Amino acid sequence: MDRDAIWAQLRDEAREAVANEPLLGSLIHAGLLHHPNLEAALAFRFSLKLASGEMSEQILREIADQAYSEAPELADAARADLMAVYDRDPATHRLLQPVLFFKGFQALQAYRMAHWLYSNGRADMAYFVQMRCSECFGVDIHPQAKIGTGVMIDHAHSIVIGETATVGNDVSMLHSVTLGGTGKEDGDRHPKIGDGVLIGAGAKVLGNIRIGHHSRIAAGSVVLHEVPPCKTVAGVPARVIGDAGCSEPSHSMNQLLGVQDFG
């Protein structure tokens, strides 16, 4: 779906939602129908959700408008993230759900804003956005972490992604995932997640280790060693128990482990 088609579908869904639930009319008009494009709608949502007594909605809106104007790739990433949720989450039936209601999508866009700030020499403002994202959404992503596009964070409660972590494209992760370091050493100390990886609920990936493309980490696993591409790991500590089960585990979202996986 191209850029204009995504925005057109969002507006159609918004008008239908207002007709079906007039009590949400003000919220939906302010969040979607009032804006000329997706960038403006995302900037409004970012500023509305993260504003506080310490930082006004107006200032945050100015920051977001500047970011989307100077870095069009932010909006491209948001569109890819939005389609990832729409395609992979069976609870998502309309594009407007992630934009208005899902904290995983909104927290990821807030991280992208913080990363843009950090990359442009505004580390303290980036840390403020990180703090507010943690307070508002329960998602704590360091602004220096590098996250690809087409990423879905489902439910998104208690997500922690450390400073030197990298996450590839088309990754799916569920709630309570930690991409953390070990010890007190400075430097490169966090996981490197390849493209197309599925990370199950409650999984912990610790240390400067590489998780191969299109691999699958079972729910509740503690991963302390590198994982080859296209494999499934499970357990505490995690070990390879079989192949990933399909070519794109982050798209299939299949978290069930068959008997053959434990052969």
Side-chain angles (χ1 to χ4, degrees), residues 163 180-190 207:
E163 178 184 20
T182 58
K184 295 174 61 178
E185 295 79 8
D186 199 359
D188 196 354
R189 61 195 184 279
H190 294 99

Side-chain angles (χ1 to χ4, degrees), residues 3-114:
R3 294 166 62 94
D4 291 340
I6 289 174
W7 180 238
Q9 181 172 328
L10 270 167
R11 290 179 63 82
D12 288 343
E13 292 175 359
R15 284 187 282 265
E16 182 181 4
V18 171
N20 292 336
E21 185 54 86
L23 292 177
L24 288 176
S26 176
L27 182 154
I28 294 171
H29 273 279
L32 286 171
L33 294 174
H34 177 71
H35 303 286
N37 51 45
L38 180 60
E39 290 86 339
L42 292 174
F44 171 80
R45 200 70 183 159
F46 167 81
S47 61
L48 177 71
K49 299 300 288 186
L50 270 62
S52 71
E54 297 176 312
M55 189 70 63
S56 72
E57 185 178 336
Q58 179 180 348
I59 292 174
L60 290 173
R61 177 64 187 271
E62 290 172 358
I63 290 171
D65 285 339
Q66 180 186 2
Y68 284 120
S69 174
E70 295 183 5
E73 63 272 16
L74 291 173
D76 292 338
R79 287 177 170 87
D81 298 337
L82 181 58
M83 293 309 299
V85 180
Y86 186 67
D87 291 339
R88 301 175 208 167
D89 182 2
T92 302
H93 308 292
R94 295 169 295 165
L95 291 176
L96 70 76
Q97 289 174 269
V99 174
L100 294 182
F101 306 130
F102 289 1
K103 68 178 183 178
F105 174 80
Q106 295 178 36
L108 186 54
Q109 306 323 305
Y111 148 78
R112 296 196 187 283
M113 199 63 58

Side-chain angles (χ1 to χ4, degrees), residues 127-164:
Y127 290 137
F128 175 82
V129 172
Q130 177 190 5
M131 176 191 74
R132 289 296 294 149
C133 187
S134 179
E135 292 172 346
C136 296
F137 301 124
V139 175
D140 195 340
I141 306 176
H142 193 285
Q144 193 174 351
K146 296 178 175 64
I147 298 180
T149 63
V151 173
M152 182 184 76
I153 304 179
D154 196 17
H155 299 291
H157 190 70
S158 299
I159 296 287
V160 176
I161 299 178
E163 178 184 20
T164 61

